[in-house]
Amino acid sequence: VQLQASGGGLVQAGGSLRLSCAASGRTFSGRSMGWFRQAPGKEREFVSAISWTGSRTYSADFVKGRFTISRDNAKNTVYLQMNVLKPEDTAVYYCALGRTNNVLVPLSTTPGNYDYWGQGTQVTVSS
């Protein structure tokens, strides 16, 4: 399984970026996907997650109203649309594949409940 994240870059505060994460290597039927981020000197933190069908999403409070997660299963790709970016959003953003294909399991904010991770894409927001 490989997850390839892309779309990061340098943007001014108030700007937007769209991250993509393409999955390959096996079937992902039933699996949720999530985005996490890690700033220098800080622990990895949950950003947003989406269920297999896309009918359920959950996001951290600090991104609600600004970031939107979505997915296209035909393309095995999950997206994170980030608007109204702030300098404190600066971090490496990682996508991850949920460990279970049980669609009844609630979306998880815990890194340990994701078993495959992308390489990360750097997002830098200047003030």
Side-chain angles (χ1 to χ4, degrees), residues 67-123:
F67 293 7
T68 302
I69 190 170
S70 62
R71 68 188 295 167
D72 182 344
N73 288 339
K75 297 180 179 179
N76 284 337
T77 301
V78 63
Y79 305 97
L80 186 68
Q81 177 66 44
M82 305 187 295
N83 299 327
V84 195
L85 283 161
K86 305 175 182 180
E88 52 264 43
D89 293 320
T90 295
V92 177
Y93 283 71
Y94 298 90
C95 58
L97 182 65
R99 186 176 298 277
T100 178
N101 60 2
N102 184 344
V103 297
L104 298 180
V105 173
L107 297 174
S108 176
T109 64
T110 305
N113 287 329
Y114 295 82
D115 57 358
Y116 291 99
W117 293 79
Q119 84 288 2
T121 184
Q122 176 70 48
V123 172

Side-chain angles (χ1 to χ4, degrees), residues 22-45:
S24 62
R26 57 167 290 172
T27 179
F28 309 103
S29 180
R31 302 278 197 111
S32 65
M33 294 194 75
W35 286 98
F36 291 75
R37 70 185 187 185
Q38 188 166 17
K42 295 187 177 181
E43 293 187 351
R44 189 168 299 190
E45 64 179 352

Side-chain angles (χ1 to χ4, degrees), residues 16-63:
S16 298
L17 284 173
R18 188 193 195 203
L19 305 185
S20 299
C21 176
S24 62
R26 57 167 290 172
T27 179
F28 309 103
S29 180
R31 302 278 197 111
S32 65
M33 294 194 75
W35 286 98
F36 291 75
R37 70 185 187 185
Q38 188 166 17
K42 295 187 177 181
E43 293 187 351
R44 189 168 299 190
E45 64 179 352
F46 169 79
V47 176
S48 192
I50 188 168
S51 64
W52 165 248
T53 63
S55 62
R56 292 181 291 134
T57 63
Y58 182 75
S59 295
D61 287 343
F62 56 78
V63 302

